[in-house]
Amino acid sequence: MPDPIVTRFAPSPTGFLHIGGGRTALFNWLLAKKLGGKMLLRIEDTDRARSTKEAIDAILDGLHWLGLTWDGDVVYQFARAARHREVAEDMLAKGKAYHCYATPEELEAMREEAKAQGKPMRYDGRWRDRSETDRQEAAARGLKPVIRLKAPQTGETVVEDLVQGRVTWANENLDDLVLLRSDGTPTYMLAVVVDDHDMAVTHIIRGDDHLTNAARQTQIYEANGWKVPAMAHIPLIHGADGAKLSKRHGALGVDAYRALGYLPAALRNYLVRLGWSFGDQEIFSTEEMIAAFDLKNVGRSPARFDFAKLENINGHYMRHTPDAELMAAIEQVLPHIEGGAEIAARLDGGLRAKWLEAMPGLKERAKTLVELIDGAKFLYAARPLALDDKARDILDKGGRAVLKALLPRLEAVTQWDAATLEAAVRAESEATGQKLGMLAQPLRAALTGRSTSPGIFDVFAVIGREESLARIRDQA
RNA sequence: GCGCCCUUCGUCUAUCGGUUAGGACGACAGCCUUUCACGUUGUAAAGACGGGUUCGAUUCCCGUAGGGCGCGCCA
């Protein structure tokens, strides 16, 4: 029986879950779902100085929001330090590693010299074959050794990558990396290998910034006689200018995307198509995504993050989300957006009902939840309405007279629904020879305070007779 | 500097040696229309460059250029 599929997402908690990490998690999650396996979550918190509880919470929160669930308990790497040390000692005992007493100053000097001579900056292996007496002497001088891997110096190390293909390094280009620091704590390189092995990980999907690490980690696997998991190094996401994603571009935490009003399903859809494709298909339900996903179709070149496309996809998802569901999404996002708390406080049953009624007109005019929420302001705006510049302009340039003329007709309407109101306004249009737009725009300005809104007769209906007439009288 | 990787419309991408190089976003134009949208129709827009291999290269090989990543007792 083949091994059960196990993927893992292994972020280091030194900051929020950024968009590239989100995509890496998504790919791991998709592969696990597709193959009926599990996705594990490991927090790589061995850097005690930089790891924070806030970052861990942000990462877990981000994954939850994105809808990416992991199996089993979260593994905290730092808690496994004793096991890592045990492996390092074991490698030492087997002659696969050795004590190195080179000081940080020595190492720095070595790098300086290599740089000056235009040579590769690598550890030169000066303690690799030292005698036991040399080591004892160094220890006697009070030096604390690190444990380094006794890496092969000839031949090559090969990574059969599911995305990158077969990638080869001459071993002479790879130096003896540190496995255990002089203070007895494991390095990332050792910890990752030991953990992935112990956690029975079968597929490692991560950013291709780890590709070189893959070679060095392969050497550690081989030194221990362990099976090397399948690896897939996916290209990084770049900013719109092609440079590495920075805070200026889109290297925001996924929580920022929530605050910008994107739907998790839309972000997932956008992210999965960055570097991966399935023919000409652009929109994928979660089920379709899982069924179609395949590492074979992941490209090798980096993709640029494009907010315009994300907005388009988000708009698509909003228009196709049932109104009640969208309402729930709005209420969930309110605490995360500016001014959301006040809106949440006003959102009683009455407003919710109105909002739901207006939703069809609202959602096709917004690309994000934030835009949708903004567009809904007329539902609860206090009289007299604040007018934006364009609305004021419409009213100042003849709009008020139009409103005065329309008022009697509107006041005469008793059956306050869109069709009846439209008939009334059209009657005025025909009577005076003014185009419908000439009448609709002043009404829109008076009812919403803006020059754009959902269909004006729907606005009438949602706002209700008394409020509508009052808003018109305010401006007439 | 050394190593590894990448290179099709502005952007995301399709193409498994032979295509009018396709789709999507964005842009522009038209239609629809009470505004804005939605929808819809159409237009412009690409194989980095130079050599090979081949009857035939976007596709395979080499080189050049450009870009990315890595080179810590960080992860």
Side-chain angles (χ1 to χ4, degrees):
Chain A
M1 197 174 111
D3 293 342
I5 300 301
V6 179
T7 68
R8 48 65 153 188
F9 178 55
S12 58
T14 55
F16 44 50
L17 175 62
H18 60 85
I19 204 68
R23 187 182 59 151
T24 300
L26 174 62
F27 280 20
N28 275 289
W29 183 82
L30 286 171
L31 190 73
K33 291 290 172 211
K34 168 156 186 127
L35 301 179
K38 292 179 174 178
M39 179 179 89
L40 273 21
L41 178 63
R42 183 174 69 232
I43 302 292
E44 313 225 307
D45 56 349
T46 52
D47 185 339
R48 303 315 287 167
R50 294 199 300 153
S51 298
T52 66
K53 176 76 165 58
E54 292 69 42
I56 293 172
D57 290 344
I59 289 167
L60 299 187
D61 178 53
L63 290 172
H64 275 304
W65 178 72
L66 262 180
L68 304 180
T69 52
W70 58 91
D71 296 285
D73 294 332
V74 178
V75 172
Y76 290 88
Q77 191 161 61
F78 179 68
R80 296 178 36 79
R83 164 63 178 157
H84 303 146
R85 195 174 311 126
E86 174 187 304
V87 172
E89 297 289 352
D90 183 54
M91 290 172 75
L92 194 60
K94 288 177 178 159
K96 299 290 187 183
Y98 61 93
H99 280 303
C100 166
Y101 288 85
T103 62
E105 294 73 32
E106 260 181 274
L107 262 17
E108 183 54 32
M110 200 184 299
R111 276 189 285 270
E112 289 292 318
E113 199 186 326
K115 194 173 179 182
Q117 295 183 11
K119 289 185 175 167
M121 296 181 275
R122 283 184 268 113
Y123 171 69
D124 62 7
R126 61 182 61 181
W127 282 91
R128 186 180 168 106
D129 298 309
R130 288 291 190 91
S131 66
E132 195 50 40
T133 50
D134 280 356
R135 293 188 209 283
Q136 281 169 6
E137 191 181 271
R141 292 210 315 266
L143 292 177
K144 296 273 186 211
V146 298
I147 295 180
R148 282 185 187 271
L149 174 71
K150 198 165 195 170
Q153 295 181 306
T154 57
E156 49 190 30
T157 295
V158 177
V159 171
E160 295 286 356
D161 195 277
L162 265 25
V163 168
Q164 303 290 332
R166 182 189 183 94
V167 187
T168 306
W169 287 263
N171 285 333
E172 59 189 53
N173 290 320
L174 268 14
D175 62 5
D176 290 347
L177 65 273
V178 174
L179 298 169
L180 203 69
R181 301 188 187 102
S182 54
D183 66 358
T185 59
T187 61
Y188 162 81
M189 217 61 82
L190 203 224
V192 168
V193 172
V194 174
D195 289 348
D196 283 333
H197 177 259
D198 289 357
M199 290 161 78
V201 170
T202 59
H203 296 256
I204 295 173
I205 303 175
R206 81 241 281 204
D208 72 8
D209 50 337
H210 285 284
L211 189 56
T212 310
N213 291 338
R216 322 191 73 173
Q217 289 164 14
T218 295
Q219 294 183 331
I220 300 177
Y221 278 103
E222 288 171 350
N224 283 290
W226 293 342
K227 185 180 179 192
V228 183
M231 295 187 184
H233 289 88
I234 62 179
L236 266 18
I237 299 174
H238 288 176
D241 59 1
K244 189 177 181 178
L245 215 46
S246 73
K247 303 222 167 48
R248 281 181 300 121
H249 311 106
L252 307 164
V254 298
D255 59 313
Y257 290 86
R258 169 168 59 194
L260 287 168
Y262 296 107
L263 259 18
L267 189 55
R268 265 185 266 134
N269 198 142
Y270 174 70
L271 250 21
V272 80
R273 282 285 289 105
L274 225 45
W276 173 80
S277 61
F278 188 68
D280 284 341
Q281 191 170 345
E282 299 281 350
I283 302 295
F284 297 82
S285 69
T286 301
E287 296 69 35
E288 288 174 318
M289 212 181 272
I290 291 168
F293 188 73
D294 192 329
L295 288 170
K296 274 188 293 206
N297 298 322
V298 175
R300 284 190 276 178
S301 55
R304 302 187 187 201
F305 194 89
D306 181 11
F307 270 103
K309 185 132 188 182
L310 207 212
E311 287 210 334
N312 171 274
I313 289 177
N314 201 63
H316 177 275
Y317 272 83
M318 291 212 300
R319 292 192 294 280
H320 289 81
T321 300
D323 297 343
E325 237 176 86
L326 249 195
M327 193 69 230
I330 288 166
E331 295 193 48
Q332 279 166 23
V333 85
L334 246 18
H336 300 281
I337 68 173
E338 207 179 324
E342 292 111 74
I343 298 172
R346 287 168 177 269
L347 199 51
D348 56 12
L351 177 54
R352 192 177 287 109
K354 279 191 203 174
W355 199 316
L356 232 24
E357 191 183 341
M359 197 68 92
L362 253 17
K363 72 181 180 185
E364 72 175 30
R365 288 173 171 74
K367 291 195 171 68
T368 66
L369 291 175
V370 169
E371 284 181 16
L372 194 161
I373 289 165
D374 180 64
K377 278 191 175 144
F378 72 85
L379 293 174
Y380 54 85
R383 290 180 41 225
L385 262 57
L387 305 175
D388 70 15
D389 292 346
K390 286 178 183 170
R392 183 179 309 284
D393 205 45
I394 289 167
L395 292 173
D396 287 347
K397 290 178 178 168
R400 295 179 201 285
V402 169
L403 294 180
K404 280 195 184 72
L406 274 166
L407 254 179
R409 283 188 188 272
L410 295 171
E411 283 166 336
V413 173
T414 51
Q415 194 181 325
W416 202 259
D417 58 53
T420 308
L421 288 155
E422 178 164 358
V425 175
R426 281 193 186 277
E428 172 72 6
S429 167
E430 281 158 26
T432 63
Q434 299 175 93
K435 281 188 175 176
L436 194 54
M438 294 297 290
L439 308 181
Q441 280 306 79
L443 288 171
R444 191 182 318 278
L447 290 180
T448 69
R450 300 183 181 186
S451 60
T452 66
S453 79
I456 194 62
F457 304 110
D458 293 326
V459 170
F460 265 115
V462 173
I463 293 176
R465 187 173 193 276
E466 297 318 310
E467 178 69 16
S468 295
L469 291 174
R471 287 186 188 184
I472 292 169
R473 288 190 198 104
D474 285 341
Q475 308 298 342

